[in-house]
Amino acid sequence: MTRVVLLGSSPGPDTSPTGLRLAALPGNPSVAERLHGQLTSYDPRPARIETSDVAAALRALADVAESATESLFIIPENSVVHDELIYQITKAKRGALALIAKEPRPDMPEEAPEDVVPIDEAEPEIGMSRLEGLPVRARAGKSRIVSVGTASHAVTRPNAVLLGPLHISARNAPTLAQTCRELAAMAHTFGPDDDLVQLVAFGLVRNGVSVGIRGRRDLFYRRVTTQEEVNEAGAEMAGMDEDRARLNNAVKGADGFFTTYFVSTYSRFIARWAARRGLTPNQVTLISITLGVAAAACFATGSRPWMVAGGLLIYFAFVFDCVDGQVARYARKFGVLGAWLDATFDRFKEYVVFAGLAIGWVVSGNGDDIWILALAAIGLQSVRHLLDFSFGIANRRKPPSPLPTLPLDAPSDRELRRALERRKVERSHGVRGVLKMWTKAGRYRAVHWLRKMIVFPIGERFAAIAITAALFDARITFLTLVIWGTVAAAYTLTGRLMRSLV
């Protein structure tokens, strides 16, 4: 569940949305009515903070945070936003997330080429509060905000604007409460145009909370104050295809090369077709399992035409393996059973296909020594899955590295930048430096896809099975799986050992 906090009239210009009507939408709802309706499924009784006194508003937000047992979604009540964008923000796994736009305004300095500007290169600039964009400096490499400006606090070379909504995880709620109380105590130092969301983000960043960033991408968000702005927002939003954006978001962004270019280019449309006809993710998973078993049966014949058919079937078994997750994300139908079935039967399909290939080799009169390679492939893949699972558990227990902090009353972010620069230098040596260099190399497209492919993900494995079985024979298939799998295991194990040491 998510605790929703609506910010009504806040410090700054009057932003009351009750009289502003979205004429472009059915029923001519007010901005506030539409937003309330969008948020009902998250929190049927959202907390509402409505006061022009910044100190009182911050104390009220602190009270909400102190009593929260779930994540907090803080959004101004005068927001016009797509449903899908709310969903994407509230489902983020970051401890804190802010919606930003990396669209430098004409009066904003251009972004420097480095992630962190050397402290001698530029003097801080006082951030000017704007409802449409509050200046921040975001660090793209770390996907987080490193500095936020207010009317009386400087942010060096702002390269983005903070738009409004914030999502705070339950574990950061105590820090949010403490930050709000600290800010309330110094409310007399803030300017009349300082915005409440801006101040909260400012305090969290300076108190060492890693505030992640999320752009609007192909979705809409805008805060409105006049009917003219509402009309413009309504027209712009109506011209955007929210369903297409939702469908695109149903595709995982971190997939491998084969999945990205040979499956996801069209599987999303199968997912939408399936979702609109009421198919559940579990039913799609069963289709994938059936195709996998049929592929194994074809391979078990050992006949060339059937081997080709088996290659096609195992490919489409993987396609529907992708579709079931896309249906879940598009239709927002998630469940423990579905996640368990998906993970378990991925392994089942793989291993039953191994068995089918080995049986087909034997029945073709080629001898039974193929079982050695089949067992090697199964054993290697089982060890890799075990290592993946155990490392994931161990990594989740590892506490995050603390970020530099800065007193809230410091007029500029100079000391914070110094701390970040020192941290950057310290992490550029030894094992951590090697890992950082390899991570930065991923900016090059060829290196990015090489890193994706070398770990031999499931898409590449199923592609290797389909191609080698259809064109060659089971021995070549198993040799490919064992050799590539061994390289992948060595690469993965080396990387995880290095990451465990830092």
Side-chain angles (χ1 to χ4, degrees):
M1 289 295 292
T2 301
R3 184 72 171 123
V4 174
V5 182
L6 289 169
L7 304 181
S9 297
S10 59
D14 181 17
T15 58
S16 175
T18 53
L20 304 178
R21 295 280 171 180
L22 286 158
L25 298 182
N28 191 30
S30 70
V31 171
E33 289 170 347
R34 181 177 184 272
L35 185 63
H36 278 256
Q38 290 174 295
L39 296 171
T40 299
S41 61
Y42 299 94
D43 187 351
R45 300 183 63 183
R48 191 169 187 273
I49 298 174
E50 184 176 14
T51 175
S52 58
D53 182 349
V54 62
L58 287 165
R59 285 193 291 268
L61 182 54
D63 291 338
V64 174
E66 285 177 341
S67 62
T69 58
E70 57 277 296
S71 61
L72 291 160
F73 180 56
I74 304 169
I75 183 169
E77 201 172 23
N78 62 329
S79 299
V80 179
V81 58
H82 272 137
D83 291 313
E84 179 63 17
L85 187 54
I86 295 176
Y87 177 80
Q88 292 294 324
I89 295 172
T90 55
K91 295 305 177 184
K93 295 181 180 179
R94 295 291 296 255
L97 189 73
L99 182 67
I100 71 164
K102 300 198 73 176
E103 302 169 354
R105 303 172 71 90
D107 56 336
M108 291 174 61
E110 292 184 2
E111 181 178 357
E114 298 295 329
D115 284 342
V116 178
V117 179
I119 59 176
D120 297 330
E121 281 194 17
E123 287 301 313
E125 300 182 6
I126 298 298
M128 299 300 292
S129 175
R130 307 178 183 88
L131 284 178
E132 286 190 6
L134 311 168
V136 301
R137 179 155 185 84
R139 188 174 180 182
K142 295 294 184 181
S143 299
R144 63 179 175 82
I145 295 173
V146 296
S147 184
V148 182
T150 74
S152 53
H153 296 85
V155 53
T156 303
R157 288 194 179 182
N159 59 3
V161 289
L162 179 68
L163 297 178
L166 290 171
H167 184 254
I168 314 294
S169 68
R171 72 173 183 270
N172 280 326
T175 305
L176 172 62
Q178 175 189 345
T179 299
C180 288
R181 297 207 183 280
E182 292 175 358
L183 290 168
M186 54 184 292
H188 61 281
T189 66
F190 300 132
D193 291 332
D194 274 327
D195 180 77
L196 191 58
V197 177
Q198 170 196 23
L199 294 175
V200 171
F202 159 79
L204 289 174
V205 170
R206 289 205 169 189
N207 278 338
V209 175
S210 178
V211 180
I213 56 176
R214 207 274 187 201
R216 288 176 293 191
R217 300 173 193 164
D218 47 359
L219 293 165
F220 185 83
Y221 176 85
R222 186 177 177 185
R223 294 165 69 177
V224 293
T225 58
T226 66
Q227 187 61 50
E228 181 181 2
E229 290 178 352
V230 174
N231 295 340
E232 291 175 357
E236 186 175 349
M237 188 167 61
M240 300 176 73
D241 190 344
E242 183 181 8
D243 184 73
R244 182 61 180 264
R246 179 171 176 173
L247 185 61
N248 291 338
N249 284 322
V251 178
K252 290 194 297 185
D255 275 330
F257 178 84
F258 181 80
T259 306
T260 299
Y261 290 104
F262 295 95
V263 177
S264 295
T265 50
Y266 67 90
S267 63
R268 67 190 73 188
F269 302 109
I270 299 176
R272 180 166 62 185
W273 181 89
R276 289 180 174 178
R277 282 153 183 79
L279 287 177
T280 66
N282 291 348
Q283 289 171 330
V284 178
T285 299
L286 291 175
I287 294 173
S288 176
I289 294 167
T290 302
L291 291 173
V293 172
C298 290
F299 290 144
T301 65
S303 170
R304 175 55 52 195
W306 287 110
M307 293 287 283
V308 173
L312 289 171
L313 286 171
I314 195 61
Y315 167 72
F316 284 107
F318 177 67
V319 169
F320 280 92
D321 183 42
C322 296
V323 169
D324 62 4
Q326 291 164 6
V327 169
R329 289 184 287 274
Y330 178 76
R332 299 174 186 172
K333 293 180 178 179
F334 302 98
V336 175
L337 176 62
W340 175 74
L341 282 176
D342 187 44
T344 301
F345 284 106
D346 277 351
R347 310 291 80 78
F348 170 78
K349 281 181 296 190
E350 212 166 354
Y351 296 164
V352 77
V353 163
F354 291 176
L357 286 166
I359 292 170
W361 179 268
V362 173
V363 299
S364 297
N366 296 310
D368 57 3
D369 58 340
I370 195 69
W371 287 105
I372 297 174
L373 286 175
L375 290 174
I378 291 174
L380 178 61
Q381 196 56 44
S382 298
V383 169
R384 290 188 60 208
H385 289 313
L386 177 62
L387 291 174
D388 289 345
F389 177 78
S390 59
F391 183 80
I393 294 295
N395 206 42
R396 283 196 290 270
R397 293 174 180 169
K398 181 181 178 181
S401 301
L403 292 174
T405 60
L406 185 68
L408 299 183
D409 56 359
S412 79
D413 59 2
R414 178 178 294 275
E415 290 304 318
L416 186 59
R417 289 185 295 124
R418 289 181 188 274
L420 287 170
E421 191 66 23
R422 288 194 298 269
R423 178 188 173 101
K424 182 180 179 181
V425 171
E426 291 169 359
R427 294 187 168 204
S428 63
H429 303 294
V431 173
R432 194 186 294 272
V434 174
L435 290 170
K436 187 174 183 180
M437 181 177 64
W438 184 233
T439 299
K440 284 188 173 181
R443 297 174 181 176
Y444 299 100
R445 195 170 187 83
V447 177
H448 170 78
W449 288 121
L450 174 64
R451 287 168 46 183
K452 290 283 188 182
M453 295 176 69
I454 198 173
V455 297
F456 208 19
I458 187 170
E460 272 66 12
R461 293 200 304 274
F462 275 49
I465 293 170
I467 294 170
T468 57
L471 299 181
F472 304 105
D473 55 44
R475 183 183 292 275
I476 298 297
T477 299
F478 285 127
L479 286 173
T480 302
L481 293 171
V482 170
I483 293 171
W484 194 345
T486 300
V487 172
Y491 171 81
T492 304
L493 187 57
T494 301
R496 287 176 177 174
L497 285 173
M498 294 174 69
R499 293 183 184 281
S500 300
L501 296 173
V502 299

